[in-house]
Amino acid sequence: MMHLLRLHGVCNENPLAPIIRSLGLTLYRTSGDDSVLYDHDLESYTLFDMDGHQVPQRLVKEVGDIFKKILKETERVRDAHADDMSILQAIGLVLDKHPELRQEGLAYEVLQWYICRMEAWFAVDADMISLKTWDQEHVLSGGHGLMVQGYDHIIKALAKDIDIRLNHRVTKICYGSNKAMVMVEGGRNFVADAAIVTVPIGVLKANLIQFEPKLPKWKVASISDIGVGSENKVALQFDKVFWPNVEFLGIVAPTSYACGYFLNLHKATGHPVLVYMAAGRFAYDLEKLSDESSANFVMLQLKKMFPDATEPVRYLVSRWGTDPNSLGCYAHDVVGKPEDVYERLGAPLGNLFFGGEAVSMEHQGSVHGAYSAGVMAAVNCQRHVLGKLGRLDKLQLLPLRSEIVEAAFPLQISRM
């Protein structure tokens, strides 16, 4: 899961759009193109302080405008410094130069909440986000939205008639010019003409898969030079709705670490569900708690806001940072990363190809980035295999479920 049920770029240019259209899936738009919150607008929210008092919306908007000015000024910091630095360090330099942008009291806490939302976008703390590239991502037009029915329908459509083996943990990959062999726990081997590696960047960084021959130094360096963040969710289902009909509920605090927010899935889906979001170091710290303790912690936040809040009928807690199949959520640019790191990560090695969101040069951390990188790896793999067989005349773009790609009906978008 990249972002919970989210589609970043509600537009026909999104490579997933044809599939979404053909399946008739509904999107719920959560932001426009210029949202300072990245994936949520300020038109539908309620913020509270740590004591449960509601923050005046006028103040939130005013601080939001100041946050935009601060981020704009970080561009000047970037132009003035040849070496990269973190966005948090750059914000500090901006505030030193422009003390009129500093905030105090409740306004300061609201500013920390904006930083918290920025950290949630990258799934890491602001002191780890690269100033050089934080705003260089190519974001598709159309704003962002929630996949109301989730991604399950898309996955099933793409997986139709494909031999997929579940619960096969890969331990070793042997590759070369002729054959590739994949070894899994239990001793079983699979042999093929080529292999495509799409495991999460966290798994590659942990060296959980042995490669033979060993990956060259430049490939190992590319894996090391890409960061991986974590964003966890605590989903709470209730028997009834006791919160306002807004898209999200935020918590402001003296530090971005202590800030947080809930997505209101009831507004988009009709189900009485709130999802608490935690990113960066806080996401990893949350994983140190049991599921019950995590849910209790989140309920303490809710009961401060809504003293009459009922207990959840069930809850679900994610643990992406410690899950051995992910070891994090998605890639991010570390401070001072080499410019060609994504090209090196995605470069093939003989009959070994690489896909996944971390390989996407412009859309890391997104499902459509993972999808398009996978398509590219498949095309390159096809070219390699056909070349070995002397049948390059048969080379064409893989159909990749062409029967569902060409669809004439528009994206179904709702705003409740």
Side-chain angles (χ1 to χ4, degrees), residues 287-298:
E287 295 192 35
K288 299 174 183 177
L289 303 177
S290 66
D291 286 2
E292 182 180 7
S293 296
S294 297
N296 288 339
F297 167 79
V298 171

Side-chain angles (χ1 to χ4, degrees), residues 155-209:
I155 294 172
K156 287 180 177 178
L158 292 173
K160 185 179 180 181
D161 299 327
I162 295 178
D163 181 10
I164 296 176
R165 310 292 178 91
L166 302 178
N167 299 314
H168 283 57
R169 190 185 302 276
V170 175
T171 59
K172 185 176 182 179
I173 299 175
C174 299
Y175 64 99
S177 57
N178 296 318
K179 295 291 183 181
M181 182 168 66
V182 176
M183 304 178 185
V184 300
E185 284 185 353
R188 189 169 184 182
N189 300 334
F190 295 87
V191 179
D193 293 310
I196 301 176
V197 178
T198 61
V199 298
I201 183 67
V203 173
L204 289 177
K205 292 175 75 67
N207 296 315
L208 296 185
I209 299 176

Side-chain angles (χ1 to χ4, degrees), residues 240-315:
K240 63 179 180 180
V241 174
F242 54 79
W243 55 89
N245 187 35
V246 293
E247 287 180 3
F248 66 93
L249 306 165
I251 305 164
V252 305
T255 65
S256 64
Y257 177 92
C259 293
Y261 71 103
F262 293 84
L263 290 182
N264 175 19
L265 292 192
H266 180 262
K267 188 170 177 63
T269 68
H271 300 295
V273 175
L274 292 175
V275 181
Y276 182 79
M277 314 288 282
R281 294 185 183 96
F282 182 57
Y284 285 102
D285 288 345
L286 197 63
E287 295 192 35
K288 299 174 183 177
L289 303 177
S290 66
D291 286 2
E292 182 180 7
S293 296
S294 297
N296 288 339
F297 167 79
V298 171
M299 284 305 301
L300 286 176
Q301 310 297 311
L302 269 181
K303 287 181 178 179
K304 288 181 181 178
M305 296 186 249
F306 309 106
D308 296 330
T310 60
E311 293 296 322
V313 295
R314 60 175 176 166
Y315 51 82

Side-chain angles (χ1 to χ4, degrees), residues 98-109:
H98 299 279
E100 72 278 5
L101 296 178
R102 289 184 178 275
Q103 304 298 300
E104 296 181 352
L106 184 58
Y108 177 82
E109 295 186 4

Side-chain angles (χ1 to χ4, degrees), residues 97-387:
K97 187 175 181 179
H98 299 279
E100 72 278 5
L101 296 178
R102 289 184 178 275
Q103 304 298 300
E104 296 181 352
L106 184 58
Y108 177 82
E109 295 186 4
V110 174
L111 180 62
Q112 294 304 304
W113 183 79
Y114 276 101
I115 293 175
C116 167
R117 288 294 300 113
M118 183 181 194
E119 293 171 334
W121 178 260
F122 294 96
V124 294
D125 293 74
D127 62 354
M128 298 179 65
I129 300 172
S130 167
L131 170 66
K132 184 177 181 180
T133 58
W134 77 269
D135 60 346
Q136 300 304 302
E137 178 183 358
H138 174 60
V139 179
L140 295 176
S141 62
H144 309 286
L146 292 177
M147 299 282 296
V148 176
Q149 296 102 325
Y151 277 106
D152 187 54
H153 295 284
I154 293 177
I155 294 172
K156 287 180 177 178
L158 292 173
K160 185 179 180 181
D161 299 327
I162 295 178
D163 181 10
I164 296 176
R165 310 292 178 91
L166 302 178
N167 299 314
H168 283 57
R169 190 185 302 276
V170 175
T171 59
K172 185 176 182 179
I173 299 175
C174 299
Y175 64 99
S177 57
N178 296 318
K179 295 291 183 181
M181 182 168 66
V182 176
M183 304 178 185
V184 300
E185 284 185 353
R188 189 169 184 182
N189 300 334
F190 295 87
V191 179
D193 293 310
I196 301 176
V197 178
T198 61
V199 298
I201 183 67
V203 173
L204 289 177
K205 292 175 75 67
N207 296 315
L208 296 185
I209 299 176
Q210 179 183 355
F211 291 90
E212 188 176 305
K214 291 183 178 180
L215 297 179
K217 291 182 178 179
W218 59 266
K219 176 69 77 172
V220 174
S222 70
I223 295 171
S224 176
D225 289 339
I226 294 177
V228 59
S230 186
E231 183 180 25
N232 279 312
K233 290 90 176 173
V234 180
L236 305 165
Q237 181 178 349
F238 301 90
D239 56 4
K240 63 179 180 180
V241 174
F242 54 79
W243 55 89
N245 187 35
V246 293
E247 287 180 3
F248 66 93
L249 306 165
I251 305 164
V252 305
T255 65
S256 64
Y257 177 92
C259 293
Y261 71 103
F262 293 84
L263 290 182
N264 175 19
L265 292 192
H266 180 262
K267 188 170 177 63
T269 68
H271 300 295
V273 175
L274 292 175
V275 181
Y276 182 79
M277 314 288 282
R281 294 185 183 96
F282 182 57
Y284 285 102
D285 288 345
L286 197 63
E287 295 192 35
K288 299 174 183 177
L289 303 177
S290 66
D291 286 2
E292 182 180 7
S293 296
S294 297
N296 288 339
F297 167 79
V298 171
M299 284 305 301
L300 286 176
Q301 310 297 311
L302 269 181
K303 287 181 178 179
K304 288 181 181 178
M305 296 186 249
F306 309 106
D308 296 330
T310 60
E311 293 296 322
V313 295
R314 60 175 176 166
Y315 51 82
L316 182 65
V317 182
S318 70
R319 298 178 178 278
W320 297 114
T322 52
D323 186 327
N325 297 317
S326 60
L327 295 177
C329 282
Y330 41 85
H332 70 88
D333 295 339
V334 300
V335 176
K337 78 167 182 65
E339 293 184 358
D340 64 342
V341 63
Y342 294 107
E343 290 90 337
R344 286 186 285 122
L345 179 64
L349 295 170
N351 61 348
L352 186 64
F353 300 84
F354 294 83
E357 58 84 20
V359 172
S360 176
M361 285 185 280
E362 293 185 326
H363 302 290
Q364 299 90 18
S366 67
V367 176
H368 66 268
Y371 176 76
S372 58
V375 170
M376 183 60 67
V379 170
N380 290 337
C381 181
Q382 183 193 44
R383 180 181 291 109
H384 170 83
V385 172
L386 291 178

